[in-house]
Amino acid sequence: MESKGHLILLGYGDVGKSIVDTLYGSPFRFVVVDANEKVFENVDFEHLVGNGADEDILIAAGVKTASFVFVALNDDTNVIFATLISRNLNPELIIVARANSVKSIEKIYKAGADYVGSLSIVAGQMLAKMTANCMGKSCRIDEDIMLYEGIEIEKCRVDKGSPLDDRSIEELDLEGRIGCTIVGIERGKIVITAIKKQTTVRAGDIIAVVGSSKQILEFKEKYAN
């Protein structure tokens, strides 16, 4: 684990497996951590049995020299601890986390995550594909994101005077009003993935919105026309 630039995946459940499916065969070196030894039967990738929220396990996985950590644990308390410990051990690390509850998103950000996905059904492959094209704090959103079970992603340009223009994520409250979520903002050559309540949408931005087919339709009717 001495070489720099590898990826660490904490949790090998449904989301973790979708991440591995995307990364497997790619040029990225990765190691998977899970407390359940049985999930690693008949696998041929690097893995480590242990609690992903344990400092010693994270060190053994090479967190101090890693470039990315995906936190896909099933308990948000563990997600928060794993994020906090990883950030303390490696301040330059890019941390992508899956929140099991919307209520935990802000806490996970405060623990040090760069991006928190609140839709577990799409988080795995979406986050892996987003990361596959970037090696810094900002990255391009992959145009071809495969989503599941009626979940869609809509990209929408924000025009001046739009009801989205100059509004913060908290003010828009798309999640509360419609149920969909802004997961990325393309601003010029930069894509912002650390979406927080105070993040403001501006004219000229291209926003990426994730939700069910019905939610995306309602979003387009209210905001994209």
Side-chain angles (χ1 to χ4, degrees):
M1 298 299 176
E2 293 81 13
S3 62
K4 293 186 177 181
H6 68 289
L7 298 94
I8 299 173
L9 167 61
L10 305 178
Y12 193 53
D14 291 340
V15 173
K17 288 176 181 176
S18 69
I19 293 175
V20 170
D21 288 343
T22 302
L23 295 176
Y24 193 83
S26 74
F28 295 98
R29 174 173 171 251
F30 65 92
V31 57
V32 182
V33 177
D34 197 283
N36 183 3
E37 185 176 5
K38 292 183 178 180
V39 301
F40 294 127
E41 293 178 354
N42 303 317
V43 302
D44 60 354
F45 51 77
E46 289 187 69
H47 60 273
L48 182 64
V49 177
N51 183 356
D54 182 274
E55 182 173 345
D56 291 337
I57 294 295
L58 287 168
I59 292 173
V63 70
K64 291 183 178 180
T65 57
S67 292
F68 289 88
V69 167
F70 294 99
V71 186
L73 302 173
N74 291 326
D75 180 84
D76 280 346
T77 299
N78 286 333
V79 172
I80 292 167
F81 277 120
T83 300
L84 184 63
I85 294 169
S86 297
R87 175 60 67 214
N88 288 338
L89 291 172
N90 186 348
E92 299 303 315
L93 191 66
I94 294 178
I95 302 175
V96 180
R98 186 276 301 270
N100 298 281
S101 169
V102 173
K103 296 178 181 179
S104 301
I105 293 176
E106 194 66 24
K107 293 180 181 178
I108 298 170
Y109 272 124
K110 288 180 179 179
D114 294 289
Y115 178 84
V116 182
S118 61
L119 296 173
S120 61
I121 196 169
V122 300
Q125 192 162 12
M126 183 179 71
L127 299 181
K129 282 181 174 290
M130 288 172 65
T131 304
N133 288 332
C134 66
M135 291 300 290
K137 290 288 183 179
S138 299
C139 63
R140 306 290 298 182
I141 290 182
D142 195 321
E143 293 285 349
D144 183 23
I145 298 175
M146 185 181 297
L147 303 181
Y148 301 89
E149 298 182 15
I151 301 297
E152 298 182 1
I153 185 165
E154 174 75 12
K155 297 187 75 175
C156 169
R157 179 178 292 277
V158 179
D159 296 323
K160 192 170 183 61
S162 161
L164 300 167
D165 183 18
D166 200 30
R167 303 282 300 280
S168 70
I169 298 300
E170 186 173 27
E171 289 173 326
L172 289 171
D173 190 24
L174 294 181
E175 192 163 338
R177 295 177 182 178
I178 301 177
C180 54
T181 304
I182 295 177
V183 295
I185 301 175
E186 186 174 350
R187 186 168 290 162
K189 296 182 179 181
I190 299 297
V191 167
I192 303 167
T193 56
I195 307 297
K196 302 181 180 181
K197 289 182 179 181
Q198 63 268 32
T199 300
T200 299
V201 177
R202 303 174 185 171
D205 288 348
I206 297 175
I207 62 173
V209 183
V210 169
S212 68
S213 300
K214 181 179 179 180
Q215 291 164 351
I216 291 297
L217 179 61
E218 185 176 353
F219 167 80
K220 290 168 69 175
E221 290 174 346
K222 291 184 176 180
Y223 296 99
N225 294 324

